[in-house]
Amino acid sequence: MVREQNVGDAERASLAGRLSGSELLTSVSTSFSVDYRQARERFLAALPQGRAFVLENFLGPQNEELAVDAAWVGDPEAKCVLVMISGTHGPEGFCGSAIQIDWLALLKECCLPEGVALLFIHGLNPYGFAWDRRVTQEGCDLNRNFVDFAAGAPANPGYDELRAHLVPPALEGPPFESARDAIRRFKQTHGERAFQIARKAGQYTDPDGMFFGGFRPSWSACTLDAIAGEYGLTSRKFVAVIDVHTGLGPYGYGELQSEHVAASASQAIADRMFGPSVTSADLGTSASIPIHGSLQLFWERLLGDGRHLYLCLEYGTFNTEAAQRVLLADQWLHVHGGGDRTGESGREVRSRMRAHFCPDDLAWKEAVLFRGRQVLRQALSGLEQVASGGFELPQASCTDSGRPPQAAFGKAE
């Protein structure tokens, strides 16, 4: 009886050891970086052929160069392209960069499907990535920056009503409590969803406010356009885009959020490629709310309905209240606290931002890479079928004007 017990303990210890030393956990240690500099170095080491789009006149915390790095993997003439974007929202780039590094390690000894290539875009918002800010160097939320500014930016009357209360002059004491009371009254009158739309849907009037979409296209938006031209994306048969985000939804789960109109051809393609795990803002099945000016609009204008797929791979971290606190502290530092991110207060804010958007938790990171690999497998399988003609692309639906419908909203975190 004692011998059987000892054998059982040994088997259990062996199994625990095997689980702890799994290949996926090994990849966690080599894929997740400690700062922007290391993330960029790892990306460039894996893809030395990458093209750097340097952000001039700005440096990182270690005086390092800031850049968006783009690199192509596979046949230059591929009919179908999978575009993988990291760093749209600054510190969320640690997660996206890790998935890119993990994918590159998997691809190193494997062949891509015929007719399929990958385009990696690393650190689309390099300033925010390096300095742990959600926004760009212009103070712009990049995922609100793709509205048609020539046609006029959309209004957000709820934001206008709450503007003075969303970033109060102090984070405690009477001014802070007064702001909280004003927000509570707004919620009582209009409801929680109306408050979230007012706060997060995007606003185009207040550069000192959160979720500011800008007055014009940002440097990162213009760089994305340059990258699309550099790699000839408009000439491809089909382009699938995976844009990695964090901070919304169940802890550790990667939700594939479609930003397409529910009746569009692109939405039908998303459903067929990825199945019922795809959620839709248009149908109300997402953990998110509608927003203005997401990256979806860029790809829609570039390629049109039925020729592309844009999905946010959104990983949950902590709850909405925690997100509000950390984002408020970050914006308060910028507006009322002098904006110094190198001093004690600034370093504390940066640390909190990174901890919220990329938790230093082995289980969370393992879940991130596991889900990322699922998405890669599904995307490559779908694109292989499109390239070979085995996946018939649905015809784009049209409005009365004969043009494909364009989403007015995307999804927010």
Side-chain angles (χ1 to χ4, degrees):
M1 187 71 178
V2 173
R3 180 177 179 277
E4 291 177 357
Q5 179 68 41
N6 289 339
V7 170
D9 289 343
E11 289 176 344
R12 282 193 293 273
S14 175
L15 177 59
R18 290 184 65 188
L19 291 173
S20 298
S22 72
E23 183 271 336
L24 193 62
L25 286 174
T26 300
S27 185
V28 166
S29 65
T30 57
S31 299
F32 282 87
S33 299
V34 298
D35 54 27
Y36 167 78
R37 183 174 185 170
Q38 184 182 64
R40 188 179 183 219
E41 287 175 349
R42 284 177 166 177
F43 181 80
L44 294 178
L47 289 172
Q49 75 273 27
R51 164 91 187 271
F53 295 78
V54 177
L55 175 60
E56 303 288 353
N57 303 318
F58 289 90
L59 296 173
Q62 302 173 65
N63 291 320
E64 71 269 35
E65 177 182 79
L66 304 181
V68 180
D69 294 293
W72 187 271
V73 175
D75 181 4
E77 305 301 322
K79 296 178 181 179
C80 296
V81 182
L82 174 60
V83 180
M84 205 287 198
I85 301 174
S86 68
T88 298
H89 280 149
E92 299 175 28
F94 289 98
C95 174
S97 175
I99 295 173
Q100 290 176 323
I101 298 301
D102 183 62
W103 285 12
L104 287 167
L106 293 172
L107 293 168
K108 186 179 297 184
E109 299 178 359
C110 301
C111 295
L112 288 170
E114 186 175 353
V116 179
L118 273 78
L119 174 59
F120 290 90
I121 302 176
H122 184 269
L124 184 57
N125 168 13
Y127 173 86
F129 195 166
W131 287 100
D132 303 293
R133 290 215 74 195
R134 178 188 170 93
V135 298
T136 67
Q137 66 279 2
E138 301 103 336
C140 171
D141 187 314
L142 186 55
N143 207 33
R144 308 295 188 276
N145 186 234
F146 290 90
V147 298
D148 184 352
F149 287 99
N156 186 341
Y159 178 84
D160 294 338
E161 183 176 340
L162 288 173
R163 178 174 181 169
H165 309 295
L166 291 173
V167 187
L171 295 179
E172 59 184 6
F176 181 70
E177 295 304 325
S178 177
R180 289 180 55 142
D181 288 342
I183 290 172
R184 276 194 291 266
R185 290 193 298 270
F186 183 94
K187 290 181 180 181
Q188 290 169 358
T189 303
H190 303 286
E192 178 66 29
R193 181 173 174 79
F195 167 69
Q196 294 300 335
I197 290 173
R199 175 178 170 268
K200 297 197 298 186
Q203 52 86 14
Y204 300 84
T205 58
D206 181 12
D208 287 335
M210 289 188 288
F211 303 97
F212 172 60
F215 295 130
R216 61 190 64 83
S218 66
W219 176 86
S220 289
C222 296
T223 300
L224 181 60
D225 191 47
I227 292 170
E230 177 81 12
Y231 293 97
L233 296 186
T234 57
S235 67
R236 311 293 169 171
K237 181 178 182 179
F238 191 81
V239 176
V241 183
I242 303 294
D243 184 12
V244 178
H245 291 257
T246 66
L248 182 68
Y251 188 81
Y253 176 66
E255 178 186 343
L256 274 176
Q257 302 176 343
S258 169
E259 307 214 355
H260 297 283
V261 173
S264 67
S266 290
Q267 180 63 48
I269 295 167
D271 292 336
R272 186 170 170 187
M273 275 196 188
F274 295 97
S277 69
V278 175
T279 63
S280 166
D282 203 28
L283 294 175
T285 58
S286 172
S288 182
I289 63 161
I291 64 169
H292 300 293
S294 79
L295 271 77
Q296 152 62 11
L297 296 180
F298 169 80
W299 298 103
E300 189 80 33
R301 288 191 289 263
L302 185 76
L303 297 164
D305 183 34
R307 286 193 58 220
H308 83 289
L309 177 63
Y310 175 80
L311 298 173
C312 283
L313 180 54
E314 174 79 54
Y315 287 95
T317 58
F318 303 102
N319 62 35
T320 301
E321 287 189 9
Q324 290 179 11
R325 289 194 298 270
V326 71
L327 287 172
L328 174 57
D330 177 76
Q331 193 67 14
W332 183 91
L333 176 69
H334 176 70
V335 176
H336 301 295
D340 179 12
R341 305 182 75 78
T342 62
E344 183 178 353
S345 296
R347 292 196 304 272
E348 172 63 22
V349 167
R350 289 182 59 202
S351 175
R352 291 175 59 192
M353 286 285 287
R354 191 176 304 183
H356 182 87
F357 290 107
C358 187
D360 189 15
D361 173 11
L362 187 62
W364 186 87
K365 294 176 180 178
E366 182 184 21
V368 163
L369 296 189
F370 178 81
R371 177 64 168 143
R373 293 180 179 190
Q374 284 186 323
V375 170
L376 175 63
R377 173 175 52 81
Q378 291 176 299
L380 292 181
S381 176
L383 290 175
E384 181 180 22
Q385 294 180 61
V386 174
S388 66
F391 187 134
E392 185 177 350
L393 297 176
Q395 294 297 311
S397 57
C398 292
T399 61
D400 292 340
S401 66
R403 297 178 62 190
Q406 292 197 9
F409 291 96
K411 302 182 78 169
E413 78 258 38

